[in-house]
Amino acid sequence: MAEATASRRARLSRRSTVVLATLVAALAVFACSAATWVSATVQTTLEPVTVDVAGSDAAPAVTALGLVAAAGALTTAISGRVLRSVVSVVVVLAGLGALAASVAVLADPAGAAQTTVGESTGMVNAGGEFALTLWPWLAAAAAVLVTLCGAWSLVAGRSWTTARRYERTGTETAPGATAGRGDEIDSWDALTEGRDPTA
């Protein structure tokens, strides 16, 4: 039983699992921001006009923070322990920021839609009906997942190993190169002594 639990924890702490989950959650936040969040119906001087307000217009921060979280997920896959911890905290903050922006739209859809409605109708602070769609709720849920994944990466990342690349320094010489130079020197010595170096 203990071995099964340890194996399950190891699988959940695997780098690829954590990074993929964080990336999917971040892209979900970004994708939600592209959909319609508020459907506004306002009365103009001629007739009612319906304006669909996308999440990127109602809450621009959600779009930006979704991209930040996605970049952070990719960075944790290749960074060292210290940088990984810093980036994981950034992902957590991005998730919290996207959540706050989504909740702000849920709390005041009219205020979030006014700028787009004004640009579309030419009316400032137009009254009317401002109906929320399902997308801001989904964005808020995805933002919560991003926050949890960032915390998950912060904890699980402590056990990840960092691949180290060993490079040859400029002072080191390959054995084949040394042998090649020795052959060239011997050939020159043979020529100076009047002998055939190919013999």
Side-chain angles (χ1 to χ4, degrees), residues 96-175:
L96 292 175
L99 177 61
S102 301
V103 170
V105 175
L106 293 172
D108 184 18
Q114 282 297 341
T115 301
T116 303
V117 170
E119 292 175 352
S120 301
T121 63
M123 299 176 63
V124 180
N125 296 326
E129 296 181 2
F130 297 84
L132 287 168
T133 66
L134 183 63
W135 290 104
W137 295 97
L138 294 177
V144 171
L145 291 178
V146 168
T147 303
L148 294 176
C149 286
W152 181 19
S153 175
L154 185 62
V155 175
R158 297 172 183 172
S159 62
W160 298 346
T161 56
T162 304
R164 296 181 179 177
R165 297 178 180 177
Y166 296 93
E167 297 181 356
R168 189 186 308 271
T169 61
T171 57
E172 294 178 351
T173 307

Side-chain angles (χ1 to χ4, degrees):
M1 189 69 175
E3 292 181 0
T5 302
S7 178
R8 192 179 305 112
R9 287 179 180 174
R11 286 196 300 270
L12 290 175
S13 299
R14 196 173 297 163
R15 186 196 305 256
S16 58
T17 303
V18 177
V19 170
L20 181 60
T22 308
L23 184 61
V24 169
L27 293 179
V29 170
F30 178 78
C32 287
S33 70
T36 299
W37 282 26
V38 182
S39 181
T41 303
V42 297
Q43 182 66 45
T44 63
T45 54
L46 298 177
E47 60 183 6
V49 176
T50 299
V51 179
D52 291 332
V53 182
S56 55
D57 295 322
V62 173
T63 305
L65 292 172
L67 291 177
V68 168
L74 296 176
T75 303
T76 56
I78 59 174
S79 57
R81 177 174 294 183
V82 176
L83 180 59
R84 187 186 307 130
S85 298
V86 174
V87 172
S88 297
V89 172
V90 171
V91 172
V92 170
L93 295 177
L96 292 175
L99 177 61
S102 301
V103 170
V105 175
L106 293 172
D108 184 18
Q114 282 297 341
T115 301
T116 303
V117 170
E119 292 175 352
S120 301
T121 63
M123 299 176 63
V124 180
N125 296 326
E129 296 181 2
F130 297 84
L132 287 168
T133 66
L134 183 63
W135 290 104
W137 295 97
L138 294 177
V144 171
L145 291 178
V146 168
T147 303
L148 294 176
C149 286
W152 181 19
S153 175
L154 185 62
V155 175
R158 297 172 183 172
S159 62
W160 298 346
T161 56
T162 304
R164 296 181 179 177
R165 297 178 180 177
Y166 296 93
E167 297 181 356
R168 189 186 308 271
T169 61
T171 57
E172 294 178 351
T173 307
T178 303
R181 288 198 201 96
D183 292 340
E184 292 174 3
I185 293 173
D186 291 342
S187 297
W188 279 110
D189 289 343
L191 285 174
T192 55
E193 294 174 1
R195 292 183 288 106
D196 184 3
T198 60

